[in-house]
Amino acid sequence: MIRKLISRVFGGKNNAGKSETRNARSGGHGDSAAIIPVKNHGIRREQLSSGARRTVEGLQKAGYKAYVVGGAVRDLLAGIPPKDFDVATNATPEQVRACFRRSRIIGRRFQIVHVMMGAETLEVTTFRAIHASNAPTDEHGRVLRDNVFGTMAEDAARRDFTVNALYYDPADETIHDYHHGVADLKQKTLRMIGDPKVRYREDPVRMLRAVRLGAKLNLAIDPAARRPIREMSELIENVPPARLFDEMLKLLTSGYAVRCVKQLREEGLHHGLLPLLDVILEQPLGERFVMLALANTDERVQAGKPTSPGFLFATLLWHEVLGQWEKNKANGERPIPALFAAMDEVLDVQAEKLAITRRIAGDIKDIWALQPRFEARSGKKPYAVLEQPRFKAGYDFLLLRAESGEVDRELGEWWRRFLNAEGEERQAMLLPEAKGDKKRRRRRKKPAGGGTGAGEGGSGD
C-alpha cells in the first residue's frame, strides 16, 4: 500500500496503479510505466553529462527511442553524482553505429555500442527481451548467452533491482518507472524484480550487487531478496574470474567498502570471494589493517581522489603474504627470496578466483617488495628507496602498517620526516652503518645506491 501511495504521488493521476506494479511483484512485467514529471522527481537535464545529452538527442533525432537508464538515474535521485551515464534505446547496435561517427560495437554475449563524445565514452544498449526458455545455461542455471532484443517494458523487467529499472528522458525531463523503483528508493528498500532465487541463479553476481547497492545507497535489502543469499552463495564459485574481479573492484571502490565488507560477512558472501578473506578478517591485527586500508580508500573515493586497485589488493592480501613469508623463512629460506616466493604463492592462489591483471599484479608486488627496504635507514639505501617508481604507494602502505600496529610507529615517523627533509638535515637523520654492511658493499664493488634484490624484483611480472 505504501509503495502504491508513493507511486501515485510521484507518478501523477494519469499513471497511478499500472498493472506492471502487480506483475513486478509476481516476477512478470507490464507494458506501460508510471511517467513521473520533473516537478515530482527534481532531476534536470543539466545534471546529465554533455555526452549523455548529445547521445540521447542524436538517437531521438534519428527517430529512435532513447533514455538515460539505470544507475545514473538512481544515483541522481539519491543525490549522488553518477560516475558514468548509460543509454538504452530501441535502435539496434548497427543503427546506433550509423548515428555516430565515433562509435564501435563491442561484446559477444550481448552486443553494445561505445559512443565517444569528446573525452567521454557512453555505453549504449538496445532494449533486451526476457530470457528465452531455451537460452543456454550452465548446470547451475547461470545464463551463458542471451542476445535477443526486446521492448522497453521487457528491458525493464530484465533489470535486477527496481531502483535500476528507471529511464530518464532529457527531452521532457520525465522518468519512466516500470517497477516502483522511485517508491522503493524513497522507502530505503532494495527490492528484486521477479523471483530472487531465479534471478540469482541466472546471474550469481546479483548477490554481490545487492550488498554493494545496499551499502552505497543505505538501503535495506528486501527480506525476499536477502533470504536466499546465504543458501545460494556457493553459486558465486561458478562466476568467471575476470567478471568476479570487476565486480569486487566496483564493490571495494564504491566509497562504502567498509560497510560492504561488513555486509558481506553478515550475508555469508565473504567465503570464496577472495580466498581466505574470512581468515584475514578474523585475525585481530589483520582485520585492523584491512579496515584501515578500506576506510582510507572510502575517504579518497568520497573526496573525488583517484584510487589504485594495486594498492587496495596489496592491503587485502598482505597478511596472507606475511603468513606465508614466515613459513618460508622457518623452512630455511633467506628472508628476501622467502618474501618473493610468498608473494608468488599468494597471487597464484588468488588467480584461481580473481583474474588480477599482470599490470595490477606488478603494482602489488612492487608495494610488497618495498616493505623490507624501509627497514634500512643507513648509508645510501634510503636515498635509493626514494627513487623507486612505486615509492609513494609503498610509503603509504608502510604508514598503514604503522597505524595498525604491525610495525613500530617510529619507523613510519622516521620516513615521514626523511621524506620532508632536505640536504644536511636528511644526512643527519641516517643511522650508523653496521660493519658488516660496509664489508659486503666493498666486496660487491657496486656503486652506491644501486638498489637491492628486493627493489629489482619489485618490478613485478
Side-chain angles (χ1 to χ4, degrees):
M1 287 297 294
I2 296 175
R3 294 176 75 211
K4 289 183 178 180
L5 178 61
I6 294 177
S7 289
R8 288 194 183 101
V9 171
F10 278 86
K13 296 180 180 179
N14 296 330
N15 297 289
K18 295 292 185 181
S19 61
E20 69 274 11
T21 60
R22 294 189 296 273
N23 291 329
R25 284 183 176 274
S26 62
H29 59 92
D31 295 326
S32 56
I35 312 299
I36 304 175
V38 66
K39 67 178 182 180
N40 289 350
H41 63 69
I43 300 176
R44 296 289 180 177
R45 63 174 66 89
E46 291 78 17
Q47 293 175 260
L48 307 182
S49 69
S50 171
R53 294 197 304 269
R54 290 160 59 197
T55 300
V56 171
E57 183 181 345
L59 288 166
Q60 291 179 344
K61 280 187 176 179
Y64 302 111
K65 292 182 179 179
Y67 306 85
V68 172
V69 67
V73 185
R74 175 201 69 215
D75 287 354
L76 286 171
L77 283 171
I80 301 172
K83 285 186 176 180
D84 47 42
F85 295 85
D86 295 335
V87 174
T89 178
N90 63 344
T92 65
E94 291 77 12
Q95 290 169 333
V96 175
R97 176 74 181 84
C99 290
F100 303 100
R101 182 176 58 83
R102 297 184 63 226
S103 63
R104 60 193 177 101
I105 298 175
I106 66 168
R108 292 182 180 179
R109 178 178 167 184
F110 189 85
Q111 289 187 330
I112 63 176
V113 182
H114 277 176
V115 176
M116 279 68 78
M117 290 285 182
E120 189 178 1
T121 299
L122 284 301
E123 191 171 282
V124 181
T125 59
T126 304
F127 295 146
R128 302 169 69 177
I130 301 298
H131 289 303
S133 58
N134 61 348
T137 62
D138 64 13
E139 65 271 25
H140 305 286
R142 182 172 65 89
V143 176
L144 299 175
R145 194 167 55 256
D146 186 21
N147 205 20
V148 182
F149 302 137
T151 65
M152 184 173 169
E154 288 177 319
D155 188 76
R158 282 186 57 106
R159 295 182 180 270
D160 43 16
F161 303 102
T162 62
V163 296
N164 286 339
L166 302 171
Y167 299 73
Y168 179 79
D169 186 350
D172 60 9
E173 298 182 318
T174 58
I175 290 177
H176 295 238
D177 183 357
Y178 282 86
H179 297 284
H180 281 326
V182 172
D184 285 338
L185 201 56
K186 290 290 179 182
Q187 289 181 269
K188 293 291 183 181
T189 301
L190 187 67
R191 202 181 308 273
M192 179 72 71
I193 297 173
D195 182 349
K197 287 188 176 182
V198 173
R199 305 310 301 275
Y200 291 147
R201 199 168 293 280
E202 289 173 352
D203 186 0
V205 164
R206 287 175 177 144
M207 289 184 271
L208 299 184
R209 287 197 193 125
V211 171
R212 174 164 58 87
L213 290 178
K216 175 181 178 179
L217 301 169
N218 197 25
L219 303 181
I221 302 175
D222 177 51
R226 184 179 183 182
R227 201 173 300 115
I229 290 179
R230 186 174 291 272
E231 63 187 74
M232 300 180 76
S233 61
E234 63 184 23
L235 293 177
I236 292 176
E237 296 286 339
N238 307 311
V239 177
R243 190 149 178 263
L244 186 58
F245 178 74
D246 288 342
E247 195 60 35
M248 279 299 299
L249 204 52
K250 289 179 184 177
L251 186 148
L252 295 171
T253 58
S254 65
Y256 302 89
V258 171
R259 202 183 298 172
C260 282
V261 167
K262 290 179 179 178
Q263 189 71 28
L264 285 175
R265 281 195 291 187
E266 288 181 20
E267 306 300 343
L269 285 176
H270 53 304
H271 301 280
L273 294 181
L274 291 169
L276 305 179
L277 179 59
D278 50 319
V279 175
I280 298 170
L281 295 177
E282 287 165 9
Q283 298 174 4
L285 194 62
E287 178 167 7
R288 175 164 169 74
F289 179 75
V290 167
M291 287 303 176
L292 281 171
L294 294 180
N296 177 270
T297 300
D298 287 346
E299 289 176 9
R300 293 187 65 84
V301 172
Q302 292 175 20
K305 297 179 181 178
T307 58
S308 164
F311 184 89
L312 185 56
F313 279 95
T315 59
L316 290 175
L317 302 176
W318 174 240
H319 279 261
E320 290 303 306
V321 172
L322 280 181
Q324 189 60 49
W325 189 14
E326 291 303 319
K327 288 180 183 178
N328 293 348
K329 287 190 291 185
N331 290 334
E333 293 185 45
R334 294 172 59 192
I336 296 306
L339 172 60
F340 280 89
M343 287 159 48
D344 288 337
E345 288 166 37
V346 169
L347 287 175
D348 285 346
V349 170
Q350 298 305 314
E352 296 175 7
K353 280 306 299 175
L354 297 173
I356 298 177
T357 65
R358 285 176 61 86
R359 181 184 64 79
I360 292 177
D363 291 345
I364 293 171
K365 287 183 176 182
D366 285 350
I367 292 168
W368 287 341
L370 277 170
Q371 298 314 300
R373 298 188 66 178
F374 285 114
E375 301 286 345
R377 292 178 278 171
S378 61
K380 299 292 185 181
K381 292 177 182 177
Y383 293 96
V385 171
L386 290 176
E387 295 172 1
Q388 294 298 309
R390 294 285 181 273
F391 167 77
K392 185 60 170 66
Y395 167 73
D396 289 342
F397 195 89
L398 172 70
L399 294 184
L400 277 177
R401 294 174 64 207
E403 189 176 353
S404 71
E406 181 194 319
V407 296
D408 197 319
R409 283 180 178 270
E410 188 273 333
L411 179 63
E413 183 57 32
W414 187 93
W415 275 99
R416 193 194 307 273
R417 288 187 287 111
F418 188 75
L419 178 61
N420 295 322
E422 293 181 2
E424 293 182 1
E425 183 183 354
R426 230 179 224 182
Q427 189 71 27
M429 289 181 61
L430 297 175
L431 302 182
E433 284 191 279
K435 292 181 180 180
D437 291 339
K438 293 181 180 179
K439 289 180 179 179
R440 279 194 295 270
R441 191 164 64 250
R442 281 199 298 269
R443 188 162 53 246
R444 285 199 303 262
K445 294 183 179 180
K446 287 189 175 182
T452 66
E456 293 161 4
S459 60
D461 299 305

